Amino acid sequence: MTMGRPDNPILNSGPTPELVQRLRTLRHNAGLTLRALKERTGYSIGTLSSALAGEKLPSWSIVSAIVQACGGKPEDVEQQWVAAAAHEALKARPKRDAQAEPGDQHLRLTALFGPAPIPVNAETVEEFMRDIRRVKVWAQDPSVRVLAVKLDVPPSTLQDFLSNKNGTMPSWDMVLNFLRACGVDQDAYGEWGFVWRRLKHQETERRLQQQRAKRPMRVIRGSQQA
């Protein structure tokens, strides 16, 4: 597949240009034109062209879509995007912010790292918990001990929640309290709750099916009589 006109060189340096160059390399390796990328991501050619120009940091949703369209895994570039977002936020922060009173934790984190992750693509418990751990990273990766104090639970309880070794959906109360402790805005709770209910329902249905499969068949006397 022809790649069309070559990209203009990225003249700047720093975390954002490095991330964009990585996206360009993924597109080149996948052999995708901007038109093909448009078909796979749903974003317009203008939006994609701007995202790949290297002049400003693309949103996480665009970065994630481009990576997936090129056959990559968004989580492989997530930390690089977070670092670039923090760098851009620090550059853009007015000097007066240094004298501002401490504000809402959500607003401060959003200014630094962009919106908090939401589990829009989670189809399994494992993927849901992966997004939970992404929230922890978004919240500047506080230690388990610090978060446990905010949640008012033993550190071991929080560690069990994050590791999810039993592979089952955690309670909604634990999820909600965790999101609050990490500074996630309440507007995102609905999305998290919707996905939690969907996965919890699937888990319950699977458990019921397994119980039915283990239940011995009852033979009714006379059922075979003509």
Side-chain angles (χ1 to χ4, degrees), residues 7 52 56 62 105-106 109 143 169 182 186 196 200 212 225:
D7 294 321
L52 293 168
K56 61 180 181 179
I62 294 178
Q105 183 184 9
H106 161 71
L109 290 171
S143 69
M169 286 296 293
C182 288
Q186 62 182 1
W196 182 89
K200 186 66 175 179
R212 294 190 190 106
Q225 296 178 356

Side-chain angles (χ1 to χ4, degrees), residues 128 161 168-176 196 200:
F128 184 86
F161 165 70
T168 61
M169 286 296 293
S171 70
W172 171 242
D173 285 344
M174 187 65 180
V175 171
L176 182 59
W196 182 89
K200 186 66 175 179

